[in-house]
Amino acid sequence: MTLNGIRAAATAALAGLATITTLAVIGWIASPHPGLGLNGVLRTSAVLWLVGHHVAVEVHGAGRIGMLPLGLVLLPGALLWRAGRSVLRTGANTGPQQVLSAALAVAVPYSVIAGVLAIISKSALAKASLPQAVLAGFAVAFVAAGCGAARTLVPWEKLGAFMSARARSILAGSAGSLALLAAAATLTTAVAIANHVHQIRAVYGLLNPGLVGAGLLLLAQLAYLPNAFVWAIAYMLGPGISVGVGTVVSPTGSVLGPVPAFPLLAALPGGPHSSAPGWLAAIMLAMPYLAGAFGGLLAVRLVPQTVVDAAAIRGFCSGALSAVLLGILAAFAGGPLGNGRLSAVGPSAWQVMVVGTLELGISAAVTAGAASWWYGRSSLPAQPVRPPGPARNRPPTHPHTEPGQTSIDNEDGHVIYLDRWADDHDPADSARGRHGPSDLP
């Protein structure tokens, strides 16, 4: 499996590097720069490949660039997914331990390749961090290749069988909350872009990228769209985002300074007071609570037979898990854009995590507890009510009576057994120790 892992890691790295190099060469041909030869283009391609793995770059004269496009991670992720599947297909599929072996077989050589590219791509213009390149390359390869190998071993619909019902309910609630927030963030981003079309056109006119440059600029904006979605979620949670030190963008108002000339940033709302209607800001602030309630309801729907306290705890855990994931995404969606004022751009990871835990977790806990109480109340069996009236002529048969016996319930709730053939018993049966209910004193 080791040789297969090395081969798969090298194939994935070369395929991703070839794609990035092609785009860099197109941009170099479309707008040539004096002093930047083909060697410089190849080094730039290696740096961009490392940026796709979320490796920060130190740019000469600008500082550290750490706010990197999340969408660019999809390219190496998809290639490493296929690498993990190919390694497990060629090996012996003996069990889940093979998934870990396949992930390590791809991740270790892939991290070595990332480290080598970080070394050879250093130039006077930019250099990538070597330790971060090795760690980020290993992390991306391990996760993507491991998921691909797991998918080859077990279909998605059967992966839940390896988890307990409690874990499945928590994951289902968290997935539901994140899905609702993602849908709301997508809608918010689309509305913001539609409302700032004139500002975006003005930025394009200022840059004047040309036809090919406009296409590459569009690809860059598409790569930054996942960052914009995470920013929109932080915006709805309340902490908002910052585009430089001392700035904030929130539903109630914004304080902005000079913004980099990037078309997607032109869609940010400006002004100390929100220009949107008050009811729209209220809906956006209420969206995290609705997402938490939806997640809590899903957690209870998956495992309805539980007590109220346990259901509330599961709901809170699902909301807290969603908040932790959002905090991690917020940490990767932001970062510095150089030194000085732009050293802090994007949402605050710890604020998103704390506020998200309070909003999503508490709303999910309350909803899950209320839903569990309602399900338990509606599933209680109806108690039979015996209508008052005279004793029936024919007493009902008790489930524990023997053949030839009947039973009736007296007013005190005691069972009285009647043997209609008590006089027909053979005296020899009593002598041999055969007694029945009629022999009771």
Side-chain angles (χ1 to χ4, degrees):
M1 183 177 289
T2 303
L3 293 178
N4 295 330
I6 295 175
R7 187 184 303 111
T11 302
L14 290 177
L17 187 59
T19 304
I20 297 297
T21 303
T22 302
L23 296 175
V25 169
I26 292 175
W28 175 59
I29 294 175
S31 55
H33 296 279
L36 183 63
L38 187 57
N39 291 333
V41 173
L42 295 178
R43 286 196 180 98
T44 303
S45 303
V47 171
L48 292 177
W49 185 88
L50 293 172
V51 166
H53 296 74
H54 218 82
V55 178
V57 179
E58 191 75 22
V59 179
H60 178 71
R64 184 171 178 268
I65 306 298
M67 200 198 78
L68 307 174
L70 291 177
L72 205 57
V73 184
L74 296 178
L75 175 61
L79 295 172
L80 290 167
W81 171 286
R82 294 182 60 85
R85 297 191 66 177
S86 64
V87 169
L88 198 60
R89 283 172 180 171
T90 55
N93 301 340
T94 58
Q97 66 273 10
Q98 295 300 112
V99 175
L100 180 60
S101 300
L104 289 175
V106 175
V108 172
Y110 197 85
S111 63
V112 174
I113 295 173
V116 172
L117 288 177
I119 293 174
I120 64 177
S121 64
K122 288 184 179 180
S123 64
L125 180 61
K127 62 177 181 178
S129 171
L130 176 59
Q132 191 175 0
V134 174
L135 292 177
F138 180 86
V140 173
F142 183 82
V143 173
C147 291
R151 177 62 180 86
T152 303
L153 185 64
V154 181
W156 288 124
E157 58 271 11
K158 294 184 179 180
L159 286 176
F162 294 97
M163 295 183 294
S164 63
R166 180 182 305 174
R168 287 197 302 270
S169 64
I170 293 175
L171 288 178
S174 178
S177 298
L178 292 176
L180 188 58
L181 283 176
T186 303
L187 182 60
T188 301
T189 305
V191 171
I193 293 175
N195 289 336
H196 294 80
V197 173
H198 298 291
Q199 291 86 340
I200 294 175
R201 287 179 179 176
V203 174
Y204 266 100
L206 179 64
L207 295 175
N208 192 19
L211 181 60
V212 178
L216 295 177
L217 188 59
L218 178 61
L219 291 178
Q221 293 179 82
L222 292 177
Y224 271 106
L225 268 184
N227 301 61
F229 296 155
V230 179
W231 287 23
I233 293 176
Y235 180 83
M236 290 184 292
L237 286 174
I241 55 178
S242 61
V243 191
V245 178
T247 63
V248 64
V249 179
S250 65
T252 56
S254 303
V255 178
L256 285 175
V259 178
F262 189 68
L264 199 59
L265 292 178
L268 292 173
H273 302 288
S274 177
S275 59
W279 60 268
L280 183 58
I283 291 177
M284 296 187 68
L285 290 174
M287 189 56 64
Y289 297 96
L290 296 177
F294 181 66
L297 184 61
L298 285 181
V300 175
R301 290 279 294 181
L302 192 63
V303 187
Q305 300 298 332
T306 184
V307 296
V308 175
D309 294 343
I313 292 175
R314 292 186 186 183
F316 181 81
C317 290
S318 68
L321 178 60
S322 302
V324 170
L325 294 176
L326 290 176
I328 295 174
L329 289 176
F332 286 101
L337 280 178
N339 298 328
R341 192 181 66 86
L342 293 178
S343 59
V345 178
S348 172
W350 73 269
Q351 291 184 13
V352 169
M353 192 176 300
V354 172
V355 176
T357 300
L358 294 176
E359 295 181 359
L360 297 172
I362 293 178
S363 58
V366 172
T367 305
S372 178
W373 172 82
W374 178 259
Y375 290 150
R377 178 178 176 272
S378 60
S379 62
L380 288 176
Q383 298 293 335
V385 179
R386 181 174 298 170
R392 288 166 288 183
N393 296 332
R394 186 174 182 179
T397 302
H398 195 270
H400 297 288
T401 56
E402 298 180 1
Q405 299 177 350
T406 58
S407 64
I408 60 174
D409 297 340
N410 64 359
E411 296 179 354
D412 297 331
H414 299 286
V415 179
I416 302 176
Y417 293 92
L418 302 178
D419 192 349
R420 291 176 289 179
W421 297 280
D423 297 334
D424 298 337
H425 284 179
D426 190 354
D429 294 340
S430 299
R432 288 192 295 268
R434 296 181 179 177
H435 303 283
S438 61
D439 296 327
L440 296 175

